[in-house]
Amino acid sequence: MLHTIITILLGVIASFLGVVTFYALKRINTYEKIILNFNNTIDLIKHQLKVIDDKGTFESDDEVGFFFEEVKQLGKDLDNLFETEVEDAPIKEKKKKEK
């Protein structure tokens, strides 16, 4: 009798923890997608600013240069936010060698 009660109790606890873990991972993945979309937008903005300022005159200006530097820093911070996967590492090394 005691064995059955303990088995049922552990089964309920394990099921509860499984459901909580599932929803926590689902929420984390959602936030990760939002941050990655934000990172892609920042990269696009940084690229567009470089295209607009091809001579570097705005970037060297004190007031506008501050905006350029903040966009660069924000992009670096977002890049460092997530760990890179093992499969991505050789691809990035190839890209660096090509440059």
Side-chain angles (χ1 to χ4, degrees), residues 48-87:
Q48 289 295 328
L49 286 173
K50 285 290 185 185
V51 169
I52 292 170
D53 187 30
D54 59 347
K55 295 180 182 177
T57 55
F58 294 125
E59 190 172 0
S60 62
D61 186 23
D62 288 341
E63 294 171 0
V64 181
F66 173 76
F67 178 73
F68 276 87
E69 290 301 319
E70 290 299 315
V71 168
K72 285 182 187 177
Q73 185 62 36
L74 184 59
K76 288 178 186 176
D77 290 344
L78 288 173
D79 285 339
N80 293 332
L81 188 61
F82 297 109
E83 296 178 6
T84 55
E85 294 180 7
V86 177
E87 294 90 19

Side-chain angles (χ1 to χ4, degrees), residues 1-87:
M1 177 73 176
L2 183 62
H3 179 52
T4 307
I5 294 172
I6 291 174
T7 304
I8 292 172
L9 185 63
L10 288 177
V12 169
I13 291 172
S15 298
F16 174 75
L17 291 176
V19 169
V20 168
T21 303
F22 172 75
Y23 283 113
L25 288 174
K26 187 176 177 182
R27 184 182 309 156
I28 288 170
N29 286 337
T30 303
Y31 290 144
E32 183 179 10
K33 287 178 185 177
I34 291 169
I35 291 172
L36 288 175
N37 285 339
F38 188 67
N39 188 24
N40 292 338
T41 304
I42 292 294
D43 287 340
L44 179 67
I45 289 171
K46 190 169 34 172
H47 181 271
Q48 289 295 328
L49 286 173
K50 285 290 185 185
V51 169
I52 292 170
D53 187 30
D54 59 347
K55 295 180 182 177
T57 55
F58 294 125
E59 190 172 0
S60 62
D61 186 23
D62 288 341
E63 294 171 0
V64 181
F66 173 76
F67 178 73
F68 276 87
E69 290 301 319
E70 290 299 315
V71 168
K72 285 182 187 177
Q73 185 62 36
L74 184 59
K76 288 178 186 176
D77 290 344
L78 288 173
D79 285 339
N80 293 332
L81 188 61
F82 297 109
E83 296 178 6
T84 55
E85 294 180 7
V86 177
E87 294 90 19

